[in-house]
Amino acid sequence: MSALALLVVMLLVLVGLLIVGALAYAAYRRPVLTQPLTVALAGAAVLVAMVTAAVGAGR
């Protein structure tokens, strides 16, 4: 992997972690939505899918 591709994947991970944190916070503030852990894990699954697609496209 080139340095640029590695940087893009790292930024994707950071943005994904921000999204997961925001989802967990939103679910924590509004318990009606769902359990915070379930929402955070769903966001993490989306993050893993995005990183896998980015790494697969880089090869």
Short mmCIF file of all heavy atoms in Angstrom, two decimals:
data_model
loop_
_atom_site.label_atom_id
_atom_site.label_comp_id
_atom_site.label_asym_id
_atom_site.label_seq_id
_atom_site.Cartn_x
_atom_site.Cartn_y
_atom_site.Cartn_z
N MET A 1 0.84 -1.19 0.00
CA MET A 1 0.00 0.00 0.00
C MET A 1 0.87 1.24 0.00
O MET A 1 1.88 1.30 0.70
CB MET A 1 -0.89 0.02 1.25
CG MET A 1 -2.15 -0.78 1.14
SD MET A 1 -3.05 -0.84 2.68
CE MET A 1 -4.11 0.55 2.50
N SER A 2 0.46 2.20 -0.76
CA SER A 2 1.21 3.44 -0.79
C SER A 2 0.89 4.26 0.46
O SER A 2 -0.05 3.98 1.20
CB SER A 2 0.84 4.24 -2.05
OG SER A 2 -0.48 4.72 -1.95
N ALA A 3 1.68 5.28 0.66
CA ALA A 3 1.49 6.14 1.83
C ALA A 3 0.16 6.88 1.74
O ALA A 3 -0.52 7.08 2.76
CB ALA A 3 2.64 7.13 1.94
N LEU A 4 -0.23 7.27 0.54
CA LEU A 4 -1.49 7.97 0.37
C LEU A 4 -2.67 7.06 0.70
O LEU A 4 -3.62 7.48 1.39
CB LEU A 4 -1.62 8.50 -1.06
CG LEU A 4 -2.90 9.28 -1.38
CD1 LEU A 4 -3.00 10.51 -0.47
CD2 LEU A 4 -2.93 9.66 -2.83
N ALA A 5 -2.63 5.83 0.24
CA ALA A 5 -3.71 4.89 0.53
C ALA A 5 -3.79 4.61 2.03
O ALA A 5 -4.88 4.51 2.60
CB ALA A 5 -3.51 3.60 -0.24
N LEU A 6 -2.64 4.48 2.67
CA LEU A 6 -2.61 4.25 4.10
C LEU A 6 -3.20 5.44 4.86
O LEU A 6 -3.96 5.27 5.82
CB LEU A 6 -1.18 3.98 4.56
CG LEU A 6 -1.00 3.59 6.01
CD1 LEU A 6 -1.76 2.31 6.31
CD2 LEU A 6 0.47 3.41 6.31
N LEU A 7 -2.89 6.64 4.40
CA LEU A 7 -3.45 7.85 5.02
C LEU A 7 -4.96 7.91 4.85
O LEU A 7 -5.68 8.27 5.79
CB LEU A 7 -2.79 9.09 4.42
CG LEU A 7 -3.27 10.44 4.96
CD1 LEU A 7 -2.91 10.55 6.44
CD2 LEU A 7 -2.68 11.57 4.17
N VAL A 8 -5.45 7.55 3.69
CA VAL A 8 -6.89 7.57 3.44
C VAL A 8 -7.59 6.56 4.35
O VAL A 8 -8.64 6.86 4.94
CB VAL A 8 -7.19 7.29 1.96
CG1 VAL A 8 -8.67 7.00 1.73
CG2 VAL A 8 -6.73 8.45 1.10
N VAL A 9 -7.02 5.38 4.49
CA VAL A 9 -7.63 4.36 5.36
C VAL A 9 -7.61 4.83 6.81
O VAL A 9 -8.59 4.66 7.54
CB VAL A 9 -6.90 3.01 5.19
CG1 VAL A 9 -7.33 2.02 6.26
CG2 VAL A 9 -7.16 2.44 3.81
N MET A 10 -6.52 5.45 7.23
CA MET A 10 -6.43 5.94 8.61
C MET A 10 -7.46 7.04 8.86
O MET A 10 -8.12 7.05 9.91
CB MET A 10 -5.02 6.46 8.90
CG MET A 10 -4.80 6.79 10.36
SD MET A 10 -3.11 7.16 10.76
CE MET A 10 -2.85 8.67 9.86
N LEU A 11 -7.63 7.94 7.92
CA LEU A 11 -8.65 8.98 8.06
C LEU A 11 -10.05 8.39 8.07
O LEU A 11 -10.92 8.84 8.81
CB LEU A 11 -8.51 10.01 6.95
CG LEU A 11 -7.30 10.95 7.07
CD1 LEU A 11 -7.20 11.83 5.83
CD2 LEU A 11 -7.39 11.78 8.32
N LEU A 12 -10.27 7.35 7.27
CA LEU A 12 -11.55 6.68 7.24
C LEU A 12 -11.86 6.04 8.60
O LEU A 12 -12.98 6.10 9.09
CB LEU A 12 -11.56 5.62 6.14
CG LEU A 12 -12.87 4.92 5.84
CD1 LEU A 12 -13.90 5.94 5.35
CD2 LEU A 12 -12.66 3.85 4.80
N VAL A 13 -10.85 5.47 9.21
CA VAL A 13 -11.03 4.87 10.53
C VAL A 13 -11.36 5.94 11.56
O VAL A 13 -12.26 5.77 12.39
CB VAL A 13 -9.77 4.07 10.95
CG1 VAL A 13 -9.80 3.70 12.42
CG2 VAL A 13 -9.63 2.83 10.09
N LEU A 14 -10.65 7.07 11.52
CA LEU A 14 -10.92 8.14 12.47
C LEU A 14 -12.33 8.71 12.32
O LEU A 14 -13.03 8.93 13.31
CB LEU A 14 -9.89 9.25 12.31
CG LEU A 14 -8.47 8.91 12.78
CD1 LEU A 14 -7.52 10.05 12.45
CD2 LEU A 14 -8.46 8.60 14.26
N VAL A 15 -12.75 8.93 11.10
CA VAL A 15 -14.11 9.44 10.87
C VAL A 15 -15.14 8.40 11.30
O VAL A 15 -16.16 8.73 11.91
CB VAL A 15 -14.29 9.82 9.38
CG1 VAL A 15 -15.75 10.08 9.06
CG2 VAL A 15 -13.45 11.02 9.04
N GLY A 16 -14.85 7.15 11.04
CA GLY A 16 -15.75 6.09 11.46
C GLY A 16 -15.89 6.01 12.97
O GLY A 16 -16.99 5.80 13.50
N LEU A 17 -14.78 6.19 13.67
CA LEU A 17 -14.83 6.19 15.14
C LEU A 17 -15.64 7.37 15.66
O LEU A 17 -16.38 7.23 16.65
CB LEU A 17 -13.42 6.20 15.72
CG LEU A 17 -12.64 4.90 15.59
CD1 LEU A 17 -11.21 5.10 16.08
CD2 LEU A 17 -13.32 3.79 16.34
N LEU A 18 -15.53 8.51 15.01
CA LEU A 18 -16.36 9.65 15.38
C LEU A 18 -17.84 9.35 15.18
O LEU A 18 -18.68 9.71 16.01
CB LEU A 18 -15.97 10.89 14.57
CG LEU A 18 -14.69 11.59 15.00
CD1 LEU A 18 -14.32 12.66 13.98
CD2 LEU A 18 -14.87 12.21 16.35
N ILE A 19 -18.15 8.69 14.09
CA ILE A 19 -19.55 8.34 13.81
C ILE A 19 -20.07 7.35 14.83
O ILE A 19 -21.19 7.49 15.34
CB ILE A 19 -19.69 7.80 12.37
CG1 ILE A 19 -19.45 8.92 11.37
CG2 ILE A 19 -21.05 7.16 12.15
CD1 ILE A 19 -19.33 8.46 9.94
N VAL A 20 -19.26 6.35 15.16
CA VAL A 20 -19.67 5.36 16.16
C VAL A 20 -19.89 6.04 17.51
O VAL A 20 -20.88 5.76 18.21
CB VAL A 20 -18.63 4.23 16.26
CG1 VAL A 20 -18.89 3.35 17.47
CG2 VAL A 20 -18.62 3.40 15.00
N GLY A 21 -19.00 6.94 17.87
CA GLY A 21 -19.18 7.67 19.12
C GLY A 21 -20.43 8.53 19.13
O GLY A 21 -21.14 8.60 20.13
N ALA A 22 -20.70 9.18 18.01
CA ALA A 22 -21.90 10.01 17.92
C ALA A 22 -23.17 9.16 18.00
O ALA A 22 -24.15 9.56 18.65
CB ALA A 22 -21.89 10.80 16.61
N LEU A 23 -23.17 7.99 17.38
CA LEU A 23 -24.33 7.11 17.47
C LEU A 23 -24.55 6.62 18.89
O LEU A 23 -25.68 6.58 19.39
CB LEU A 23 -24.15 5.91 16.54
CG LEU A 23 -24.28 6.17 15.04
CD1 LEU A 23 -23.92 4.92 14.27
CD2 LEU A 23 -25.67 6.63 14.69
N ALA A 24 -23.46 6.24 19.56
CA ALA A 24 -23.58 5.78 20.94
C ALA A 24 -24.07 6.90 21.85
O ALA A 24 -24.92 6.68 22.72
CB ALA A 24 -22.24 5.24 21.43
N TYR A 25 -23.58 8.12 21.65
CA TYR A 25 -24.01 9.26 22.45
C TYR A 25 -25.49 9.57 22.20
O TYR A 25 -26.25 9.83 23.14
CB TYR A 25 -23.15 10.47 22.15
CG TYR A 25 -23.55 11.70 22.94
CD1 TYR A 25 -23.25 11.78 24.29
CD2 TYR A 25 -24.23 12.74 22.35
CE1 TYR A 25 -23.63 12.89 25.04
CE2 TYR A 25 -24.61 13.85 23.07
CZ TYR A 25 -24.30 13.93 24.42
OH TYR A 25 -24.68 15.01 25.14
N ALA A 26 -25.90 9.53 20.95
CA ALA A 26 -27.30 9.81 20.62
C ALA A 26 -28.23 8.77 21.25
O ALA A 26 -29.28 9.12 21.78
CB ALA A 26 -27.49 9.84 19.11
N ALA A 27 -27.83 7.52 21.20
CA ALA A 27 -28.66 6.47 21.79
C ALA A 27 -28.65 6.57 23.32
O ALA A 27 -29.64 6.24 23.97
CB ALA A 27 -28.17 5.10 21.35
N TYR A 28 -27.55 7.04 23.88
CA TYR A 28 -27.48 7.21 25.33
C TYR A 28 -28.38 8.35 25.78
O TYR A 28 -29.05 8.26 26.81
CB TYR A 28 -26.03 7.47 25.74
CG TYR A 28 -25.86 7.72 27.23
CD1 TYR A 28 -25.92 6.67 28.13
CD2 TYR A 28 -25.63 9.00 27.70
CE1 TYR A 28 -25.77 6.90 29.48
CE2 TYR A 28 -25.48 9.25 29.05
CZ TYR A 28 -25.55 8.19 29.94
OH TYR A 28 -25.40 8.43 31.27
N ARG A 29 -28.39 9.44 25.01
CA ARG A 29 -29.21 10.60 25.38
C ARG A 29 -30.69 10.34 25.15
O ARG A 29 -31.53 10.91 25.82
CB ARG A 29 -28.78 11.83 24.57
CG ARG A 29 -27.37 12.31 24.88
CD ARG A 29 -27.22 12.83 26.27
NE ARG A 29 -27.95 14.08 26.41
CZ ARG A 29 -28.17 14.68 27.57
NH1 ARG A 29 -27.72 14.15 28.67
NH2 ARG A 29 -28.83 15.81 27.61
N ARG A 30 -31.03 9.53 24.16
CA ARG A 30 -32.42 9.20 23.84
C ARG A 30 -32.59 7.68 23.94
O ARG A 30 -32.50 6.98 22.94
CB ARG A 30 -32.77 9.64 22.43
CG ARG A 30 -32.49 11.07 22.14
CD ARG A 30 -33.70 11.90 22.37
NE ARG A 30 -33.41 13.27 21.96
CZ ARG A 30 -33.93 14.30 22.56
NH1 ARG A 30 -34.75 14.12 23.56
NH2 ARG A 30 -33.63 15.51 22.17
N PRO A 31 -32.84 7.16 25.13
CA PRO A 31 -32.94 5.71 25.30
C PRO A 31 -34.06 5.07 24.49
O PRO A 31 -34.06 3.87 24.29
CB PRO A 31 -33.21 5.53 26.80
CG PRO A 31 -32.82 6.81 27.43
CD PRO A 31 -32.97 7.87 26.39
N VAL A 32 -35.00 5.88 24.02
CA VAL A 32 -36.09 5.34 23.22
C VAL A 32 -35.57 4.75 21.91
O VAL A 32 -36.12 3.79 21.39
CB VAL A 32 -37.13 6.45 22.94
CG1 VAL A 32 -38.18 6.00 21.96
CG2 VAL A 32 -37.76 6.90 24.25
N LEU A 33 -34.47 5.31 21.40
CA LEU A 33 -33.96 4.85 20.11
C LEU A 33 -33.58 3.38 20.17
O LEU A 33 -34.10 2.57 19.41
CB LEU A 33 -32.75 5.70 19.70
CG LEU A 33 -33.01 7.17 19.46
CD1 LEU A 33 -31.72 7.90 19.16
CD2 LEU A 33 -33.99 7.35 18.33
N THR A 34 -32.64 3.02 21.00
CA THR A 34 -32.22 1.62 21.18
C THR A 34 -31.10 1.58 22.20
O THR A 34 -30.68 2.61 22.70
CB THR A 34 -31.78 1.00 19.85
OG1 THR A 34 -31.51 -0.37 20.04
CG2 THR A 34 -30.57 1.68 19.28
N GLN A 35 -30.62 0.42 22.48
CA GLN A 35 -29.53 0.30 23.43
C GLN A 35 -28.25 0.89 22.83
O GLN A 35 -27.94 0.64 21.67
CB GLN A 35 -29.28 -1.18 23.78
CG GLN A 35 -30.43 -1.83 24.49
CD GLN A 35 -30.63 -1.27 25.88
OE1 GLN A 35 -29.69 -0.81 26.50
NE2 GLN A 35 -31.85 -1.29 26.35
N PRO A 36 -27.49 1.68 23.59
CA PRO A 36 -26.28 2.32 23.04
C PRO A 36 -25.26 1.33 22.48
O PRO A 36 -24.65 1.59 21.45
CB PRO A 36 -25.70 3.07 24.23
CG PRO A 36 -26.84 3.29 25.14
CD PRO A 36 -27.76 2.14 24.95
N LEU A 37 -25.12 0.22 23.11
CA LEU A 37 -24.13 -0.74 22.62
C LEU A 37 -24.51 -1.31 21.27
O LEU A 37 -23.66 -1.49 20.40
CB LEU A 37 -23.96 -1.86 23.64
CG LEU A 37 -22.87 -2.87 23.37
CD1 LEU A 37 -21.52 -2.16 23.24
CD2 LEU A 37 -22.81 -3.90 24.46
N THR A 38 -25.80 -1.57 21.06
CA THR A 38 -26.26 -2.10 19.78
C THR A 38 -26.01 -1.11 18.66
O THR A 38 -25.55 -1.47 17.58
CB THR A 38 -27.75 -2.44 19.87
OG1 THR A 38 -27.96 -3.35 20.95
CG2 THR A 38 -28.25 -3.07 18.58
N VAL A 39 -26.29 0.15 18.91
CA VAL A 39 -26.08 1.17 17.89
C VAL A 39 -24.59 1.33 17.60
O VAL A 39 -24.18 1.42 16.44
CB VAL A 39 -26.70 2.51 18.33
CG1 VAL A 39 -26.35 3.62 17.37
CG2 VAL A 39 -28.20 2.38 18.45
N ALA A 40 -23.77 1.35 18.62
CA ALA A 40 -22.33 1.50 18.43
C ALA A 40 -21.76 0.31 17.66
O ALA A 40 -20.90 0.47 16.78
CB ALA A 40 -21.63 1.65 19.77
N LEU A 41 -22.23 -0.89 17.96
CA LEU A 41 -21.75 -2.06 17.24
C LEU A 41 -22.20 -2.07 15.78
O LEU A 41 -21.46 -2.50 14.90
CB LEU A 41 -22.21 -3.34 17.95
CG LEU A 41 -21.52 -3.63 19.28
CD1 LEU A 41 -22.13 -4.86 19.92
CD2 LEU A 41 -20.03 -3.81 19.09
N ALA A 42 -23.40 -1.58 15.52
CA ALA A 42 -23.86 -1.48 14.13
C ALA A 42 -23.00 -0.47 13.37
O ALA A 42 -22.63 -0.71 12.21
CB ALA A 42 -25.32 -1.07 14.09
N GLY A 43 -22.69 0.64 14.01
CA GLY A 43 -21.79 1.61 13.37
C GLY A 43 -20.40 1.05 13.15
O GLY A 43 -19.77 1.31 12.12
N ALA A 44 -19.92 0.25 14.10
CA ALA A 44 -18.61 -0.37 13.94
C ALA A 44 -18.61 -1.37 12.79
O ALA A 44 -17.62 -1.50 12.06
CB ALA A 44 -18.19 -1.05 15.24
N ALA A 45 -19.71 -2.08 12.61
CA ALA A 45 -19.81 -3.02 11.49
C ALA A 45 -19.76 -2.28 10.16
O ALA A 45 -19.13 -2.74 9.20
CB ALA A 45 -21.09 -3.82 11.60
N VAL A 46 -20.41 -1.12 10.09
CA VAL A 46 -20.34 -0.31 8.88
C VAL A 46 -18.92 0.18 8.65
O VAL A 46 -18.42 0.19 7.52
CB VAL A 46 -21.34 0.87 8.97
CG1 VAL A 46 -21.13 1.86 7.84
CG2 VAL A 46 -22.75 0.36 8.97
N LEU A 47 -18.23 0.57 9.72
CA LEU A 47 -16.85 1.00 9.61
C LEU A 47 -15.96 -0.11 9.07
O LEU A 47 -15.13 0.12 8.18
CB LEU A 47 -16.34 1.46 10.97
CG LEU A 47 -14.85 1.77 11.08
CD1 LEU A 47 -14.50 2.98 10.23
CD2 LEU A 47 -14.46 2.00 12.52
N VAL A 48 -16.13 -1.31 9.57
CA VAL A 48 -15.33 -2.45 9.09
C VAL A 48 -15.60 -2.69 7.61
O VAL A 48 -14.67 -2.96 6.84
CB VAL A 48 -15.63 -3.70 9.94
CG1 VAL A 48 -15.05 -4.94 9.31
CG2 VAL A 48 -15.09 -3.51 11.34
N ALA A 49 -16.85 -2.59 7.20
CA ALA A 49 -17.18 -2.78 5.79
C ALA A 49 -16.53 -1.72 4.91
O ALA A 49 -16.02 -2.02 3.83
CB ALA A 49 -18.69 -2.78 5.61
N MET A 50 -16.53 -0.47 5.38
CA MET A 50 -15.91 0.61 4.59
C MET A 50 -14.40 0.41 4.49
O MET A 50 -13.82 0.60 3.42
CB MET A 50 -16.23 1.97 5.22
CG MET A 50 -17.67 2.36 5.10
SD MET A 50 -18.14 4.01 5.69
CE MET A 50 -16.94 4.48 6.85
N VAL A 51 -13.76 0.04 5.58
CA VAL A 51 -12.31 -0.16 5.56
C VAL A 51 -11.96 -1.34 4.67
O VAL A 51 -11.01 -1.30 3.89
CB VAL A 51 -11.77 -0.34 6.98
CG1 VAL A 51 -10.33 -0.83 6.97
CG2 VAL A 51 -11.89 0.95 7.76
N THR A 52 -12.73 -2.42 4.74
CA THR A 52 -12.49 -3.58 3.90
C THR A 52 -12.62 -3.23 2.42
O THR A 52 -11.81 -3.65 1.59
CB THR A 52 -13.47 -4.70 4.26
OG1 THR A 52 -13.32 -5.02 5.64
CG2 THR A 52 -13.22 -5.94 3.43
N ALA A 53 -13.63 -2.43 2.10
CA ALA A 53 -13.80 -2.01 0.70
C ALA A 53 -12.65 -1.13 0.25
O ALA A 53 -12.15 -1.25 -0.88
CB ALA A 53 -15.13 -1.28 0.55
N ALA A 54 -12.18 -0.23 1.12
CA ALA A 54 -11.07 0.65 0.75
C ALA A 54 -9.78 -0.13 0.56
O ALA A 54 -9.03 0.12 -0.39
CB ALA A 54 -10.89 1.74 1.82
N VAL A 55 -9.52 -1.07 1.44
CA VAL A 55 -8.29 -1.86 1.31
C VAL A 55 -8.37 -2.77 0.08
O VAL A 55 -7.39 -2.93 -0.64
CB VAL A 55 -8.04 -2.67 2.60
CG1 VAL A 55 -6.94 -3.68 2.41
CG2 VAL A 55 -7.73 -1.73 3.76
N GLY A 56 -9.54 -3.33 -0.17
CA GLY A 56 -9.72 -4.18 -1.34
C GLY A 56 -9.56 -3.40 -2.63
O GLY A 56 -9.01 -3.92 -3.62
N ALA A 57 -10.01 -2.17 -2.67
CA ALA A 57 -9.89 -1.35 -3.86
C ALA A 57 -8.43 -0.91 -4.06
O ALA A 57 -8.00 -0.69 -5.20
CB ALA A 57 -10.78 -0.11 -3.76
N GLY A 58 -7.68 -0.82 -2.98
CA GLY A 58 -6.29 -0.40 -3.09
C GLY A 58 -5.36 -1.48 -3.63
O GLY A 58 -4.28 -1.21 -4.11
N ARG A 59 -5.80 -2.71 -3.56
CA ARG A 59 -4.95 -3.82 -4.04
C ARG A 59 -5.26 -4.08 -5.44
O ARG A 59 -5.19 -4.26 -6.37
CB ARG A 59 -5.21 -5.07 -3.22
CG ARG A 59 -4.72 -4.88 -1.81
CD ARG A 59 -4.89 -6.11 -1.02
NE ARG A 59 -4.40 -5.83 0.33
CZ ARG A 59 -4.12 -6.75 1.20
NH1 ARG A 59 -4.25 -8.00 0.88
NH2 ARG A 59 -3.70 -6.45 2.38
#
